[in-house]
Amino acid sequence: MSETVTRRSTCYECDANCPFDVTINAEGKATAVSGPDCPRGAAQLEREYHPDRLLYPMKRVGPPGSDEFQRISWDEALATIAHRLSAVKAEHGAEQAGFFAGYTKEGRPQLQRLAHYFGSPNYLTEAGCCFSATMVAEKLTLGYKLKSASLNASTATRCLLFWSTNPPGSVMPFEEHPLLHPEQERTTIVVDPRRTETAERADLHLQPRPGTDGALALAFHHEIFANGWADEAFLAEWGSGVEEFRAYVADFTPEWAADVCGVPADDIRRAARLYATSGPAQIALSPTATVQHSNGFQNHRAIVLLPAVTGNLDIEGGNRFFLDKVRPKSIDGFRERIGDLPPRLGDEDFPVWTRYWPAGQSMPLPDAILEGEPQPIRALFAIGINAAMWPNTARMYQALEALDFFACVDFFLTETAKRADIVLPAATSLEREALVAYPGCQFRGEVRYRDAVLAPRGEARADAQISLDIAVALGMDEDFWHGDLAAAWAEAAEGLEPEIRRQAYEDPDGATVFADALDEEGFEGQRLYEVRGFPTATGRIEFDSRELRDAGHDGLPIWREPAESPVSTPERAAEFPLVLTSGGRSKYYTHSQQQRFPSTRAADPVPRATMHPETAAEYGLAHGDRVRVASPRGAVVFHAEVADTVAPGVVHCVHGWAEAEINRLTDDAHPDPISGFPPFKSGLCRVEPA
Ligand SMILES: Nc1nc2c(c(=O)[nH]1)N[C@H]1C(S)=C(S)[C@@H](COP(=O)(O)OP(=O)(O)OC[C@H]3O[C@@H](n4cnc5c(=O)[nH]c(N)nc54)[C@H](O)[C@@H]3O)O[C@H]1N2
Ligand SMILES: Nc1nc2c(c(=O)[nH]1)N[C@H]1C(S)=C(S)[C@@H](COP(=O)(O)OP(=O)(O)OC[C@H]3O[C@@H](n4cnc5c(=O)[nH]c(N)nc54)[C@H](O)[C@@H]3O)O[C@H]1N2
Ligand SMILES: [Mo]
């Protein structure tokens, strides 16, 4: 290159894949990026040129957890990985090798293909604790996934009920999010244990004890039926188990729920009335906050039945369904291979979840490694893995150290990577090409081909390329495009209509693939269910779910206390009297990422444990103090943030901090019985000055 150029890329500091223009100087070095206003996107070059980036394959020569690593060649790294995986396969069976991807989504199709062609069903991801449970609960109950509110900010909405999401922390464009700035007058209600920026702006904020959403939602239903606000004609035609549900909620008065949730009964009454009578009403949901509880799946079902009962389902301004209009051709090997493979991790205990979700459940991994239960895992190949994603993190570290063989790919030598036998250097999104079309939490409805705009630093390689390289080292060239990554993506792109494919490759803005599908199909004005019905077990909305009953669960969205709570474990609460919730997002960080970057660190410098002034006073803590937060699993030191944004008796900790791993405190013994999700957001703790 002889002069400065500007090239279009997409950012992968989170999985929203926003377009960014990158200025590249004559030496081929990126000097600036410009794109949407996001502190993580703006910090991309701090990742790119970080002095600690992994640049070469390394093998560990010290004990697990040490940073004694030695540089090796790619040939040696790939040959070792292929050899060690083959040894596990020959001795114990291919299923005892796990293949894992954390939050990162881009390289997944090739990784999953590698797992299944190798012969292992055990392709595992972060979906074991993220998003999938809301999707499964919605599909099982309504037959469809609800369209996420960030894709559906309709001007027709008259009442917006935020049930556990705070766009200023988690959804672009944060404080400017259209959901927070309606063009028309409307009523806003927020259900969140924290008084967030979103709650500050709302007409009404219900602040429940974490994990009590089910009780609150059932009290809404009680009010709706008791006051004749239900859409009875719709329920008679399309509901299954409505009478059982009506009878079940008859006892759940606002007074009862006030007691369980800690929300004034009059506020519950007012919120239920506003939601049911000032429609069109839409619920804006989090992908995960309602389901990261021991009772989360049924709680979420109770919430998503609200639009069904009130006639707010699939109407303009209400909750619409999500339809994938165009998907690339699947190259992940799942459909053609999974039928011939042994059971996936999770099939044993969470069969409803695995029926809907095309991967294994990653949460039982520590048991699988340490106990051989419900099935043994002896080797692990992972892209972007952090032990701190698992509840009771100390046990996951122990499990990683107990593996026969562990290799991982990352940008940095993290605490988790230090447990690996081999660590491989990941290329950044600026250095890797990809067909970007795999939806994340805030997927923007686009598909585009992203070129690599920079040469990789050192010997870094794209995750997807590494999966192909391992497959080739295992002798599977034929099934893996002979290691040619562009060819792999091209095959995926074959699934797109020619015009979409052309735009994806040629148009810098890519192609838009999600639209109002019905309108495009010529069903203007109609509702999806009028055309396609409700594709559930009964063909109706499942108030009382036959599928759950058949699997041995409650058919109704039964309310249960969180497994660890002041009510269900009073003896434990004597020692750990506070309710612990975690993981409210900060726009400066994606989980554990960006903490090494000077700009994000300056803006949001320390891991915070937020508590009410009364709680702080009771335990002798002041704002800014170092605070030891302890649970039955362990203790971690945070910085006390004293603020009345949480209720007295509740502590909120941020998640993902390497220096304060909140999941050392969370409970791995009481996952949700249907989804396997851990109770990240409702447990017990105590606090004391550190
Ligand atoms: N207590 C509590 N725990 C939680 C949550 C919570 O709310 N509370 N939230 C949960 C949720 S919803 C999620 S999604 C998980 C996320 O948990 P993780 O998946 O662990 O999240 P990250 O920290 O983003 O990524 C893990 C690692 O991947 C690396 N990485 C990132 N991008 C890439 C890439 O493109 N290639 C490669 N090779 N490596 C990459 C990062 O450097 C990091 O070391 O955390 C869960 N844990
Ligand atoms: N900046 C940034 N954005 C992200 C991420 C990130 O790490 N950083 N992560 C991405 C990922 S992987 C995910 S899964 C999404 C998560 O997306 P969201 O879950 O929508 O995240 P938040 O906006 O923090 O909103 C969650 C809210 O739920 C509240 N909450 C906690 N417990 C309960 C409860 O029991 N009941 C109710 N009603 N509310 C509760 C919290 O106080 C918080 O305000 O965010 C995505 N966006
Ligand atoms: Mo997530």
Side-chain angles (χ1 to χ4, degrees):
M1 251 176 275
S2 56
E3 58 188 59
T4 295
V5 293
T6 299
R7 296 190 64 193
R8 171 64 60 88
S9 182
T10 60
C11 172
Y12 205 74
E13 292 301 323
C14 83
D15 64 11
N17 286 300
C18 298
F20 267 80
D21 287 323
V22 186
T23 309
I24 303 168
N25 71 14
E27 284 76 52
K29 197 172 168 184
T31 53
V33 293
S34 81
D37 183 15
C38 170
R40 291 167 295 165
Q44 279 174 85
L45 298 184
E46 295 175 49
R47 178 186 302 282
E48 184 63 33
Y49 297 114
H50 200 286
D52 297 340
R53 249 191 81 188
L54 280 167
L55 299 178
Y56 305 99
M58 313 271 266
K59 79 171 173 205
R60 183 165 46 75
V61 292
S66 73
D67 42 20
E68 294 161 52
F69 278 78
Q70 213 170 61
R71 180 175 166 184
I72 55 174
S73 69
W74 269 105
D75 284 348
E76 181 183 343
L78 295 169
T80 309
I81 293 170
H83 170 73
R84 299 295 296 272
L85 292 177
S86 299
V88 167
K89 181 173 175 170
E91 240 181 278
H92 306 286
E95 67 277 13
Q96 298 200 17
F99 296 79
F100 176 84
Y103 174 79
T104 186
K105 314 275 185 299
E106 211 172 273
R108 287 185 182 187
Q110 292 83 355
L111 179 76
Q112 183 163 17
R113 186 182 184 88
L114 172 64
H116 296 338
Y117 276 73
F118 176 74
S120 174
N122 286 322
Y123 161 74
L124 310 160
T125 72
E126 113 294 9
C129 68
C130 171
F131 169 70
S132 63
T134 55
M135 193 214 85
V136 176
E138 288 162 21
K139 283 203 164 174
L140 177 142
T141 307
L142 308 170
Y144 304 98
K145 164 94 190 101
L146 291 176
K147 202 173 200 177
S148 90
S150 52
L151 292 172
N152 190 28
S154 170
T155 51
T157 303
R158 285 287 147 276
C159 175
L160 183 60
L161 170 55
F162 285 91
W163 204 300
S164 77
T165 189
N166 180 42
S170 63
V171 195
M172 285 278 290
F174 310 116
E175 297 85 354
E176 310 307 319
H177 198 287
L179 283 182
L180 302 175
H181 304 279
E183 287 167 29
Q184 264 107 355
E185 271 292 291
R186 69 185 178 208
T187 309
T188 305
I189 307 165
V190 170
V191 179
D192 195 310
R194 300 186 304 149
R195 198 176 71 243
T196 58
E197 300 91 321
T198 307
E200 296 270 4
R201 310 177 67 99
D203 299 296
L204 182 58
H205 175 206
L206 309 189
Q207 198 166 13
R209 170 163 63 92
T212 63
D213 300 278
L216 189 60
L218 293 171
F220 273 54
H221 285 289
H222 171 97
E223 280 295 285
I224 291 163
F225 283 121
N227 289 289
W229 297 326
D231 184 346
E232 297 289 353
F234 174 80
L235 293 178
E237 189 176 356
W238 292 110
S240 171
V242 175
E243 293 319 311
E244 291 79 355
F245 182 69
R246 192 195 305 269
Y248 178 61
V249 302
D251 294 337
F252 294 107
T253 60
E255 279 69 24
W256 170 84
D259 207 36
V260 173
C261 310
V263 175
D266 283 343
D267 284 357
I268 300 175
R269 272 205 188 85
R270 198 177 142 216
R273 179 172 49 78
L274 285 171
Y275 174 74
T277 65
S278 42
Q282 188 189 179
I283 307 187
L285 289 156
S286 152
T288 43
T290 50
V291 287
Q292 290 172 339
H293 303 279
S294 60
N295 51 357
F297 193 93
Q298 295 285 28
N299 287 356
H300 193 75
R301 274 175 30 80
I303 299 166
V304 300
L305 284 169
L306 284 167
V309 169
T310 53
N312 282 301
L313 204 56
D314 206 13
I315 62 165
E316 187 55 31
N319 282 97
R320 291 282 203 182
F321 297 122
F322 177 87
L323 273 189
D324 269 10
K325 251 224 98 239
V326 180
R327 296 223 89 189
K329 178 177 164 191
S330 147
I331 56 167
D332 59 24
F334 180 75
R335 285 237 168 74
E336 62 267 32
R337 287 289 157 126
I338 201 73
D340 300 328
L341 300 175
R344 283 173 267 168
L345 193 55
D347 278 343
E348 302 89 348
D349 298 320
F350 311 107
V352 173
W353 183 88
T354 52
R355 192 177 307 149
Y356 284 86
W357 195 260
Q361 220 315 352
S362 55
M363 289 296 107
L365 206 44
D367 287 339
I369 298 168
L370 292 168
E371 320 281 344
E373 293 293 339
Q375 56 169 292
I377 297 285
R378 291 171 194 271
L380 189 65
F381 171 69
I383 58 180
I385 182 170
N386 182 1
M389 189 189 89
W390 275 262
N392 195 5
T393 294
R395 190 152 184 273
M396 183 58 184
Y397 278 120
Q398 207 190 327
L400 292 175
E401 292 178 12
L403 282 164
D404 290 358
F405 179 69
F406 172 31
C408 72
V409 192
D410 210 304
F411 302 114
F412 299 103
L413 189 62
T414 62
E415 280 307 308
T416 299
K418 286 179 191 170
R419 270 74 180 179
D421 298 286
I422 291 190
V423 178
L424 303 172
T428 65
S429 53
L430 297 172
E431 302 165 345
R432 67 191 188 208
E433 63 190 310
L435 182 67
V436 176
Y438 294 89
C441 306
Q442 292 90 42
F443 185 56
R444 295 147 51 86
E446 292 157 6
V447 49
R448 72 174 92 214
Y449 201 76
R450 187 195 61 225
D451 288 318
V453 298
L454 297 176
R457 282 189 61 205
E459 293 182 356
R461 286 190 191 175
D463 299 304
Q465 180 68 60
I466 295 171
S467 289
L468 301 192
D469 293 343
I470 293 173
V472 169
L474 284 162
M476 300 191 288
D477 331 28
E478 292 286 321
D479 289 320
F480 285 80
W481 306 275
H482 301 280
D484 180 351
L485 182 56
W489 290 129
E491 182 167 338
E494 278 171 21
L496 304 170
E497 290 158 24
E499 179 51 20
I500 301 243
R501 183 166 66 222
R502 189 195 62 74
Q503 283 177 30
Y505 274 86
E506 291 169 20
D507 188 330
D509 292 323
T512 300
V513 292
F514 299 156
D516 265 323
L518 278 184
D519 290 347
E520 296 221 339
E521 287 173 18
F523 296 116
E524 203 132 353
Q526 270 180 293
R527 301 178 183 188
L528 184 60
Y529 64 83
E530 287 168 351
V531 180
R532 297 196 184 163
F534 289 100
T536 61
T538 52
R540 292 162 164 242
I541 295 173
E542 299 235 306
F543 286 82
D544 191 347
S545 162
R546 186 202 287 172
E547 205 173 343
L548 287 178
R549 273 183 196 275
D550 288 349
H553 302 290
D554 295 309
L556 292 168
I558 298 288
W559 156 246
R560 284 181 209 288
E561 263 295 318
E564 185 177 274
S565 87
V567 180
S568 55
T569 54
E571 60 310 324
R572 202 170 264 197
E575 208 185 328
F576 301 97
L578 306 172
V579 174
L580 175 64
T581 178
S582 63
R585 290 350 187 203
S586 153
K587 69 174 179 180
Y588 298 101
Y589 298 108
T590 305
H591 314 295
S592 73
Q593 303 187 49
Q594 298 94 16
Q595 281 161 34
R596 298 166 198 257
F597 305 171
S599 66
T600 45
R601 195 68 190 223
D604 187 356
V606 293
R608 288 165 282 115
T610 310
M611 65 197 77
H612 191 273
E614 281 173 27
T615 311
E618 195 178 338
Y619 295 93
L621 288 155
H623 188 75
D625 282 357
R626 304 274 278 165
V627 51
R628 185 185 315 278
V629 185
S631 86
R633 271 72 51 187
V636 175
V637 175
F638 286 84
H639 292 250
E641 179 182 61
V642 178
D644 65 0
T645 51
V646 293
V650 173
V651 177
H652 171 264
C653 293
V654 288
H655 82 298
W657 282 75
E659 67 212 63
E661 293 171 335
I662 181 61
N663 284 334
R664 287 181 179 274
L665 307 188
T666 51
D667 182 5
D668 59 341
H670 298 94
D672 178 278
I674 303 166
S675 68
F677 271 39
F680 287 144
K681 289 182 159 56
S682 46
L684 292 175
C685 74
R686 68 162 181 260
V687 294
E688 62 202 21

